[in-house]
């Protein structure tokens, strides 16, 4: 098992994972991702910015995560626990449904947290869908603090909850 940055050669496999996850979520009544998000263009931009990481097993990409220092505009009004400087943001954490429930999302998050600590980030920030209780429990068990809600109208009429884990202050 290996976690490393993606390349342009990985775009189709990464997009396939997000589409499979979107279908799995929708089939389970969780309308977090859809045909507009995450798009192939968004993943391509993640690769260009060298912020998309892949988890591979036996040369197959089974999961992805974005680690970025770029703050989304939707986050600007959030009252975070730490100052708005030197924060790492986690987006698009996805494990192909075939491989879910085996600890791979934990491995990706541990990688992201270690990356943040090793690069002296003050905290890790992320959001998760208000209707995805499983994700909320996942982050809360890892020590993330639930803060306020934000909205992504292209994804859902329901809010997304912001979370932060303080690391180096």
């Amino acid at each position: 098992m290996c976690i490393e940055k993606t390349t342009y050669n990985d775009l189709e496999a990464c997009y396939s994972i997000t589409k499979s996850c979107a279908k799995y979520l929708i089939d389970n009544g969780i309308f977090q991702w859809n045909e507009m998000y995450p798009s192939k263009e968004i993943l391509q931009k993640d690769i260009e910015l060298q912020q998309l990481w892949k988890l591979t097993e036996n040369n197959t990409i089974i999961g992805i995560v974005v680690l970025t220092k770029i703050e989304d505009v939707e986050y600007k009004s959030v009252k975070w626990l730490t100052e708005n400087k030197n924060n790492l943001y986690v987006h698009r954490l996805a494990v192909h449904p075939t491989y879910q429930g085996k600890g791979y999302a934990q491995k990706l998050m541990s990688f992201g947290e270690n990356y943040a600590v090793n690069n002296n980030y003050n905290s890790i920030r992320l959001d998760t869908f208000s209707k995805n209780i499983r994700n909320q429990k996942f982050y809360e068990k890892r020590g993330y603090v639930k803060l306020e809600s934000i909205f992504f109208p292209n994804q859902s009429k329901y809010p997304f909850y912001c979370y932060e884990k303080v690391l180096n202050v």
Side-chain angles (χ1 to χ4, degrees):
M1 188 175 53
C2 173
I3 299 176
E4 58 190 358
K5 282 188 181 173
T6 56
T7 67
Y8 285 111
N9 295 335
D10 300 319
L11 179 60
E12 289 301 326
C14 293
Y15 185 60
S16 175
I17 287 172
T18 61
K19 288 290 115 193
S20 296
C21 287
K23 181 183 181 328
Y24 178 79
L25 288 167
I26 290 167
D27 288 350
N28 285 281
I30 300 170
F31 302 94
Q32 177 173 343
W33 286 0
N34 56 35
E35 66 282 345
M36 296 190 313
Y37 182 88
S39 67
K40 192 181 286 187
E41 293 75 24
I42 288 171
L43 294 172
Q44 185 172 336
K45 182 84 169 163
D46 289 335
I47 293 170
E48 285 171 19
L49 294 172
Q50 297 192 8
Q51 61 188 23
L52 182 60
W53 297 79
K54 62 183 177 181
L55 169 66
T56 57
E57 187 174 71
N58 300 324
N59 296 319
T60 300
I61 300 173
I62 61 173
I64 61 169
V65 66
V66 169
L67 304 175
T68 183
K69 54 187 173 188
I70 301 168
E71 181 183 38
D72 286 352
V73 66
E74 291 86 357
Y75 287 176
K76 296 290 185 197
S77 66
V78 176
K79 291 174 187 66
W80 298 100
L81 301 172
T82 61
E83 278 187 67
N84 268 1
K85 63 175 194 178
N86 206 31
N87 309 100
L88 187 68
Y89 298 88
V90 172
H91 298 297
R92 294 178 277 292
L93 174 66
V95 174
H96 191 284
T98 303
Y99 298 93
Q100 289 181 9
K102 298 178 177 155
Y104 293 117
Q106 296 281 4
K107 287 180 183 4
L108 284 164
M109 281 306 296
S110 292
F111 173 81
E113 290 166 6
N114 289 333
Y115 178 89
V117 169
N118 293 336
N119 289 281
N120 296 310
Y121 285 96
N122 292 330
S123 72
I124 299 177
R125 296 172 174 177
L126 54 87
D127 66 77
T128 195
F129 190 45
S130 60
K131 301 292 181 185
N132 193 333
I133 306 302
R134 184 175 166 202
N135 272 15
Q136 293 169 49
K137 288 179 181 172
F138 173 80
Y139 293 121
E140 288 166 8
K141 281 183 182 173
R142 294 189 69 87
Y144 288 79
V145 177
K146 181 177 165 185
L147 302 170
E148 49 196 279
S149 301
I150 57 173
F151 288 86
F152 295 100
N154 287 340
Q155 285 177 252
S156 176
K157 64 181 180 180
Y158 297 104
F160 286 72
Y161 298 145
C162 292
Y163 283 85
E164 186 170 20
K165 183 175 185 175
V166 178
L167 302 171
N168 303 305
V169 180

